[in-house]
Amino acid sequence: MTKTRADGVTNFDAWKHAYASRAANLSVSEVRALFAVVSRPEVVSLAGGMPDVAALDTELIEKAFASLMSNRRDLALQYGGGQGDLRLREQIQEIMALEGIHSSVEDITITTGSQHGLELVSDLFLDQGDVVLVEAPSYVGAVGIFRHKEAQIAHVYTDEHGISPQALAETADRLIAEGKRIKLLYLVPNFANPSGVTLTADRRLEVLEICKQRGILIIEDNPYGQLYFGEKPPNAMRSLDEQNVVYLGSFSKILSPGLRVGYVLAPPAIREKLVLANESAILSPASFAQMLVSEYLSIADWQKQIATFRDLYQTKRDAALQAVEQFLPKVHTTRPDGGFFLWLTLPEGLNSKEMLPLAVTELVAYTPGTAFFGDGRGADNIRICFSHPTADNVRVGIERLSRVLNQQIDLLETFGKKD
Ligand code: PMP
């Protein structure tokens, strides 16, 4: 049994006076606060963005493990280089080539998940008050990092074709005219978390040009690019510009998030600083996890595994869309062509954060839209993650959600908007 400290004993303010000022920006994320609820078996969780690791071929992973232990054990159990395992970096080049990227192994740094890559890049670039431009909505984990760096987060209008180039140029120019220093544009161009939308090929070119003209570095975060359901998405922005784009990749969604292996492909001008930052933070990325991934990639038909994930998630996406159409006729949803998420827009006046406890009593959990904005917006949005529950449970979950939502919508229509 787990031993926990008796509640009520700990004074959580005991060291408050000594925290760095930026620690005030570390608060419980809406996604994390849900984890306790979500782990109850009777609750269908449409909340956390988890892959369906049950669809992995565990025999292949065991084989990779056995081969690692018999052939490269001493290296795997030892510290490694700060930039990461060379063989794995070469294999990552092959993966990125699927998105049109030509890279040099020298420019790749392996990190503890791509989250850590984003943290390192943010730490290299952001001083207090610097501006980071992001989509509206944007990935909660990125918003959290930028907040922790005491940056100003500026959301840019985003529609079903991704971030709007016109709004991007206008927002950037307005902030520059106000004397702000815009350092970064952070984007998830493929099947975005949380919106599910994909940036069109034309807009990619425009966004690159707008940022180049204004000296804004682009962070292209692409954990879902391989998980397309129909046509492949356009090539990575990094394939069009190697000087002004930092590309983040991850094995979390195409293999396993438990291994915590991600990577950064940095412009040559930045890569050395990035490796130094990685070494300063963690000495070296986990040799064992890297080499296990590398072994897996060399023995497994990993493209076939990714194809299995595509089929599986497409079936679940279809179940989710069908259930939304059937049970939530007054709710708008995005129609993603890949990835893990639907982004729902509720009739104006509803508050998804306030409704969450009601949903949990109906045994369904979701993430309120406010988690994905740095400015309090998103009360009338919900992120639905369809990747982890079975297709049947996705349907059950959305039906349960409809009991709460439709009742609230009826109340709203009868009594009007609350003050
Ligand atoms: N970026 C995005 C857009 C994500 O959705 C996630 C995972 N939820 C991450 C980064 C972090 O992934 P990793 O497991 O590689 O740290």
Side-chain angles (χ1 to χ4, degrees):
M1 215 179 83
T2 318
K3 271 195 185 170
T4 53
R5 198 178 295 107
D7 270 344
V9 174
T10 305
N11 171 11
F12 289 102
D13 289 337
W15 284 97
K16 208 174 163 187
H17 64 282
Y19 283 142
S21 61
R22 63 183 172 279
N25 297 312
L26 287 173
S27 50
V28 181
S29 90
E30 270 145 291
V31 182
R32 237 188 100 210
L34 285 171
F35 273 0
V37 172
V38 159
S39 55
R40 281 165 38 203
E42 66 277 22
V43 176
V44 172
S45 175
L46 305 170
M50 294 189 293
D52 190 349
V53 290
L56 285 168
D57 183 340
T58 39
E59 252 177 48
L60 275 176
I61 295 173
E62 281 165 15
K63 227 166 129 185
F65 178 84
S67 150
L68 181 60
M69 288 309 274
S70 43
N71 301 323
R72 302 176 79 202
R73 188 187 53 207
D74 288 353
L75 281 175
L77 296 176
Q78 193 50 274
Y79 287 115
Q83 192 164 6
D85 183 59
L86 180 60
R87 185 172 80 149
L88 179 59
R89 283 187 279 135
E90 286 166 355
Q91 290 162 317
I92 287 169
Q93 288 183 293
E94 279 175 51
I95 297 175
M96 293 192 298
L98 297 174
E99 323 224 334
I101 297 176
H102 299 286
S103 58
S104 152
V105 276
E106 293 304 315
D107 296 339
I108 300 170
T109 298
I110 306 211
T111 55
T112 309
S114 60
Q115 186 75 12
H116 177 223
L118 184 58
E119 151 69 31
L120 293 177
V121 176
S122 303
D123 204 51
L124 274 183
F125 283 93
L126 297 176
D127 285 316
Q128 186 180 32
D130 285 345
V131 175
V132 185
L133 301 170
V134 300
E135 291 147 308
S138 181
Y139 166 51
V140 57
V143 170
I145 291 177
F146 303 144
R147 268 209 190 116
H148 190 204
K149 301 295 167 199
E150 302 181 293
Q152 182 189 331
I153 298 165
H155 290 279
V156 177
Y157 177 76
T158 304
D159 61 23
E160 73 271 28
H161 305 298
I163 196 165
S164 151
Q166 194 193 338
L168 176 64
E170 281 169 13
T171 309
D173 290 343
R174 176 174 51 77
L175 289 165
I176 292 165
E178 285 171 13
K180 298 275 167 60
R181 272 182 315 185
I182 307 178
K183 293 277 183 75
L184 305 171
L185 167 66
Y186 169 79
L187 287 177
V188 185
N190 297 321
F191 323 125
N193 181 358
S195 68
V197 304
T198 295
L199 189 62
T200 60
D202 288 353
R203 284 193 180 186
R204 287 177 197 226
L205 287 168
E206 285 182 75
V207 168
L208 282 166
E209 195 51 38
I210 289 166
C211 288
K212 196 169 163 185
Q213 281 167 4
R214 292 162 179 80
I216 301 168
L217 183 66
I218 297 176
I219 304 182
E220 176 178 31
D221 186 8
N222 188 28
Y224 304 102
Q226 286 300 313
L227 301 176
Y228 48 88
F229 302 151
E231 266 176 47
K232 260 173 93 159
N235 274 346
M237 295 169 79
R238 172 57 173 73
S239 72
L240 305 165
D241 182 345
E242 72 163 27
Q243 306 300 333
N244 304 299
V245 179
V246 175
Y247 178 93
L248 302 179
S250 176
F251 287 98
S252 290
K253 311 293 153 68
I254 57 168
L255 180 56
S256 154
L259 293 167
R260 310 304 301 129
V261 180
Y263 48 94
V264 182
L265 173 63
I270 293 169
R271 68 163 190 241
E272 198 184 331
K273 278 279 187 207
L274 190 72
V275 176
L276 291 171
N278 206 23
E279 286 173 354
S280 157
I282 58 165
L283 297 182
S284 64
S287 307
F288 197 91
Q290 291 180 76
M291 289 186 171
L292 186 63
V293 173
S294 176
E295 211 60 26
Y296 168 85
L297 292 173
S298 63
I299 64 168
D301 185 348
W302 53 270
Q303 301 223 37
K304 189 168 145 225
Q305 175 64 53
I306 296 175
T308 304
F309 278 134
R310 279 185 206 125
D311 288 347
L312 180 68
Y313 295 140
Q314 181 166 7
T315 306
K316 296 184 184 196
R317 188 273 321 255
D318 290 345
L321 282 178
Q322 208 251 328
V324 170
E325 270 158 31
Q326 182 178 349
F327 300 119
L328 292 168
K330 293 185 179 158
V331 171
H332 177 270
T333 179
T334 52
R335 310 186 73 83
D337 297 319
F340 285 7
F341 308 106
L342 301 188
W343 181 246
L344 306 186
T345 305
L346 314 179
E348 210 196 319
L350 293 185
N351 186 322
S352 61
K353 203 169 163 181
E354 282 175 11
M355 282 178 338
L356 186 56
L358 294 175
V360 172
T361 56
E362 291 289 347
L363 304 179
V364 60
Y366 60 80
T367 312
T370 41
F372 306 96
F373 287 94
D375 57 10
R377 272 185 282 168
D380 53 359
N381 294 110
I382 281 178
R383 186 191 74 177
I384 296 283
C385 176
F386 53 76
S387 56
H388 190 253
T390 61
D392 282 348
N393 273 344
V394 166
R395 192 177 160 77
V396 168
I398 292 172
E399 188 187 0
R400 288 179 184 172
L401 181 59
S402 74
R403 293 183 209 148
V404 176
L405 280 186
N406 291 340
Q407 193 192 28
Q408 296 291 315
I409 293 171
D410 287 348
L411 282 173
L412 186 76
E413 285 176 354
T414 314
F415 297 109
K417 196 177 160 181
K418 272 197 302 179
D419 284 332

